[in-house]
Amino acid sequence: MDRLPGRRTGFVKVAQAHDEEVLHKIRQGLVYTETEASFQAPQRRPDLVFEYNHTPPAQAERRRELLVAALGSVGERTVLLPPFHAGFGSNVHIGDDFFGNVNLTFVDDVDIRIGDGVMIAPSVTLTTTGHPVHPSRRTDFGRFSEPIVIEDKVWIGSNVVVLPGVRIGYGSVIGAGSVVSRDIPPMVVAVGVPCRVVRPITDDDLTTRTAEAG
């Protein structure tokens, strides 16, 4: 018989209050530590990601099952070429008709939301998390996290890095090698380090092959 039910209940309530306090800090984009966030460990899905990455191409149905289990949500007709990498997996949400090429990395300490018809080239990193500049604030892996949103019909080129808190607008193209540190509006071509808008996408692009600036 449990002789200390009241004490046990008290411990649970204290733990829940602590967890809610840390989640509030994370949602506000404030610095939090590895120890503070350790209660989130069960949401990580490394074994499922590992199995997906090692499932033969011929086993398409099994790959689909693993991807649905590993990620927060997955749309229809989704292609994600292995290997891919995810800190959690459970915080990644992908829409319909998605294509992700090899070595796509999700640093998904908070949500990464990807719309419909998005195409992502090889070796792209989507990171919701950064670290303070001063080393004393990086003790115990101090970090901050902000969600990433990629709207419908976006195309992201090879070796792009998308940083915390960024939203990329509908239909936009991000040139290869860019570092996206701020929001990108809809229907533009943006390139560079840091990534900047170079021109709008117009009907003239219906008759051209490339997305290069004129």
Side-chain angles (χ1 to χ4, degrees):
M1 180 181 295
D2 187 352
R3 298 180 180 275
L4 300 171
R7 181 177 297 179
R8 189 176 301 277
T9 300
F11 287 154
V12 170
K13 288 183 177 179
V14 169
Q16 289 175 339
H18 168 268
D19 295 353
E20 283 300 320
E21 182 180 346
V22 175
L23 286 173
H24 179 73
K25 288 176 68 174
I26 294 172
R27 294 186 192 109
Q28 295 298 311
L30 302 176
V31 174
Y32 63 100
T33 68
E34 179 70 18
T35 299
E36 288 177 319
S38 60
F39 68 91
Q40 294 184 307
Q43 298 176 36
R44 296 183 184 270
R45 297 171 181 171
D47 291 344
L48 291 169
V49 173
F50 180 88
E51 187 175 352
Y52 180 90
N53 288 335
H54 292 81
T55 300
Q59 297 182 19
E61 291 185 9
R62 179 56 180 159
R63 273 191 180 176
R64 171 73 184 181
E65 291 173 357
L66 289 166
L67 193 63
V68 169
L71 303 187
S73 60
V74 182
E76 299 299 323
R77 300 171 300 280
T78 294
V79 176
L80 179 55
L81 299 183
F84 83 96
H85 313 276
F88 281 80
S90 58
N91 291 325
V92 177
H93 302 272
I94 294 175
D96 297 336
D97 301 303
F98 170 83
F99 180 84
N101 217 313
V102 296
N103 292 319
L104 176 53
T105 297
F106 302 105
V107 183
D108 61 320
D109 293 276
V110 296
D111 280 355
I112 296 174
R113 295 194 173 271
I114 299 173
D116 299 336
V118 171
M119 299 173 62
I120 299 182
S123 300
V124 168
T125 297
L126 308 177
T127 178
T128 66
T129 294
H131 301 275
V133 172
H134 198 288
S136 66
R137 303 199 69 198
R138 297 197 297 271
T139 301
D140 192 14
F141 304 105
R143 57 190 183 265
F144 58 87
S145 300
E146 297 180 84
I148 288 172
V149 177
I150 299 172
E151 297 182 4
D152 297 349
K153 305 292 186 182
V154 167
W155 168 27
I156 298 177
S158 299
N159 296 295
V160 167
V161 178
V162 180
L163 296 180
V166 164
R167 175 184 286 267
I168 300 176
Y170 174 92
S172 285
V173 175
I174 308 299
S178 298
V179 176
V180 189
S181 58
R182 63 186 66 185
D183 290 354
I184 302 297
M187 292 296 288
V188 298
V189 176
V191 300
V193 182
C195 190
R196 293 185 173 89
V197 174
V198 295
R199 69 172 179 88
I201 296 172
T202 70
D203 287 348
D204 290 341
D205 292 299
L206 293 171
T207 59
T208 63
R209 182 179 65 85
T210 69
E212 295 174 359

